[in-house]
Amino acid sequence: EELITADYTFVNERLARHYGIDGVSGNDYQRVSLDGTNRAGLLTHASILTLTSNPGRTSPVKRGKWILEQILGSPPPPPPPNVPELESEQEGALRGSLRERMEQHRLKPECATCHEKMDPIGFAFEHFNAVGQWREVDSGFPIDASGELPDGTRFDGARELVRQLKTRDTFVLCVIEKMLTFALGRGLEYYDKCTIDDIHQALRDNNLAFQTLVESIVLSESFQQRQLQGESL
């Protein structure tokens, strides 16, 4: 849970300037509090925010898709072919804010299925520009960072979204599946479900401690008893 809720981070002077954090000097990384800031945990790191942006602007689509895939474990379907892109930044700004243009884009039936899940989540991070710095306006338009999760739960901004995500079993299960996939070096199969359930229970019994996750994976049957090539279960 602390992965996405941590109220601290580690920065050096250069990164602190990027984040707008005062009182940090030198090249050595040091722990600083995020209390009183608009950041919390991994999802507001500049690395993630930059990775999920376009070269010249933010991308609520990429940011929402990343949350669905990496945090909630429910990736959207692939886009249909021949869907037109949004206008360039200069052309689009004449027609309204990025959010307004994307909402117009989402009205198209061929776009709505995917975008109605991704975009509202991505809008939560619109106060962070394409390299993760805080802003209040975008191309002269005030930013609206409100949205809702696929189940209808509403939020306003990244910190409120994080508070909603941390209470969900879908987040915990997604982390388990990602870590187990990494540890096994393969995709998960139906016969790994018992292992996932056992790890999930161990985490709930130990306050979602990360060390419990690592230990439970290493001690699991899926990790310790690998299937040989061509061997049937």
Side-chain angles (χ1 to χ4, degrees), residues 206-221:
N206 290 276
N207 198 30
L208 302 181
F210 192 80
Q211 59 265 34
T212 299
L213 172 61
V214 175
E215 181 180 9
S216 298
I217 289 175
V218 171
L219 296 178
S220 70
E221 184 175 295

Side-chain angles (χ1 to χ4, degrees), residues 95-105 123 141:
R95 295 182 50 197
S97 67
L98 175 61
R99 178 166 189 146
E100 290 170 339
R101 284 180 282 137
M102 292 193 67
E103 287 175 346
Q104 294 165 11
H105 188 74
F123 287 139
F141 296 97

Side-chain angles (χ1 to χ4, degrees), residues 42-185:
L42 182 67
L43 301 185
T44 58
H45 276 202
S47 57
I48 300 297
L49 294 166
T50 303
L51 175 70
T52 54
S53 292
N54 289 331
R57 64 165 174 81
T58 62
S59 175
V61 174
K62 290 182 179 179
R63 289 175 174 179
K65 182 175 183 286
W66 195 90
I67 296 289
L68 287 172
E69 289 179 337
Q70 307 300 330
I71 302 299
L72 295 177
S74 56
N82 303 320
V83 176
E85 297 287 336
L86 287 176
E87 302 89 344
S88 69
E89 192 68 12
Q90 292 80 7
E91 294 173 353
L94 298 175
R95 295 182 50 197
S97 67
L98 175 61
R99 178 166 189 146
E100 290 170 339
R101 284 180 282 137
M102 292 193 67
E103 287 175 346
Q104 294 165 11
H105 188 74
R106 197 162 71 241
L107 290 176
K108 301 176 182 178
E110 66 271 25
C111 304
T113 301
C114 298
H115 284 272
E116 66 186 5
K117 295 180 180 179
M118 296 185 295
D119 296 5
I121 295 175
F123 287 139
F125 301 93
E126 272 298 279
H127 276 295
F128 300 100
N129 68 14
V131 292
Q133 293 177 306
W134 183 261
R135 61 185 182 170
E136 294 290 344
V137 297
D138 175 27
S139 300
F141 296 97
I143 290 172
D144 178 3
S146 62
E148 64 180 51
L149 291 167
D151 65 2
T153 302
R154 296 196 59 79
F155 55 82
D156 189 358
R159 291 182 69 94
E160 281 193 18
L161 174 61
V162 166
R163 282 197 292 270
Q164 294 295 335
L165 294 177
K166 74 175 184 178
T167 63
R168 294 168 181 261
D169 272 349
T170 47
F171 163 59
V172 178
L173 287 169
C174 186
V175 172
I176 293 171
E177 292 173 2
K178 298 291 184 183
M179 286 289 293
L180 187 57
T181 298
F182 176 78
L184 298 179

